[in-house]
Amino acid sequence: MKNMIFALAVLSLVACNKGGMEHDAMGTFEATEVIVSAEQAGRLMYFNIEEGANVDSGQHVALIDTVQLQLQALQLGATKEAYAVSRPDMAKQIAVTKQQLAKAEHERKRYEALVRGNAANRKLLDDAENEVRMLRRQLDAQVSQLSNTTGSLNRQMDAAEIQRRQVIDRLEKCRVKSPISGTVLEKYAEAGEYATPGKPLFKVADITDMVLRAYVTAPQLTSLKIGQQVKVYADSGDDSMREYEGVVSWISDKAEFTPKTIQTRDERANLVYAVKIRVRNTDGLIKIGMYGEADF
């Protein structure tokens, strides 16, 4: 098919050089087509678009079964909550030890005063200081253990939250959206069918912004440049042509030979270059695959 279109374009260019063609170049209209595929596995609960319908960018058009993913998200949320509840209350768990330490420090100060006044034995002060040191080490060990436990539970909470967000992302991908605003060209599935990741669901194209792909000869390149305004003509189905404003958006930097199927000795030297001319399909009458012509 591509070779046939290419051949027709080149034959038109040859005719142009001989004075048999009214316009400078001829080709076919194209549009940016996007095939939307399923990203998750499951049954299509609904799929409410039809071929020829217009859709907006981001519009929900289908839903893949989400029950199992919703349950998984709830389970992970409950797991995170369980970790949160299991975190120790450090203030309460070290309160007794802190109280004992305060009492031991008070006793140490009291014995210290008695020893200075020679009213108590030095051994009593030593025992009180040992008690304070022991309780301080005990408090430090409790704080360290509780901090490690809390940190470990926090990390498990974070892991559960990451997993939950992954499930939420998968849930969002169950809601099939149109990536662009355009017209549905083909529909490959129906509601009730089982979708798998990568399975095509529908094809959409923005037919308001069309591209005329045509071929020009080397001499014509001197009159073309990117961004140049040109006149584009689309076949209206009768002897007349509809005129549109076009802009040259791309020019191939490589020449192509005339297809072998139509080459003659004289035509082997013919080199052509592909060009793309962007056209606003203001009236919606330009269709994909329709023939068009251009004047530079």
Side-chain angles (χ1 to χ4, degrees), residues 16-61:
C16 175
N17 292 335
K18 295 179 179 180
M21 180 179 174
E22 181 181 355
H23 301 292
D24 294 329
M26 178 179 131
T28 56
F29 287 100
E30 303 174 347
T32 301
E33 301 179 0
V34 179
I35 296 178
V36 181
S37 301
E39 296 185 76
Q40 296 296 318
R43 192 172 303 281
L44 283 169
M45 305 306 293
Y46 72 81
F47 194 10
N48 57 358
I49 59 170
E50 298 298 333
E51 293 179 354
N54 293 323
V55 293
D56 296 324
S57 176
Q59 178 180 335
H60 289 172
V61 298

Side-chain angles (χ1 to χ4, degrees), residues 111-128:
Y111 283 125
E112 197 173 39
L114 291 174
V115 169
R116 281 200 302 269
N118 295 321
N121 194 317
R122 177 71 190 183
K123 184 177 182 307
L124 294 175
L125 177 59
D126 293 340
D127 292 342

Side-chain angles (χ1 to χ4, degrees), residues 160-177:
E161 177 63 17
I162 291 172
Q163 292 176 352
R164 190 181 73 86
R165 291 185 183 183
Q166 289 175 336
V167 173
I168 291 175
D169 179 67
R170 293 172 61 192
L171 274 169
E172 183 61 25
K173 290 176 179 177
C174 287
R175 296 169 175 83
V176 182
K177 304 175 184 178

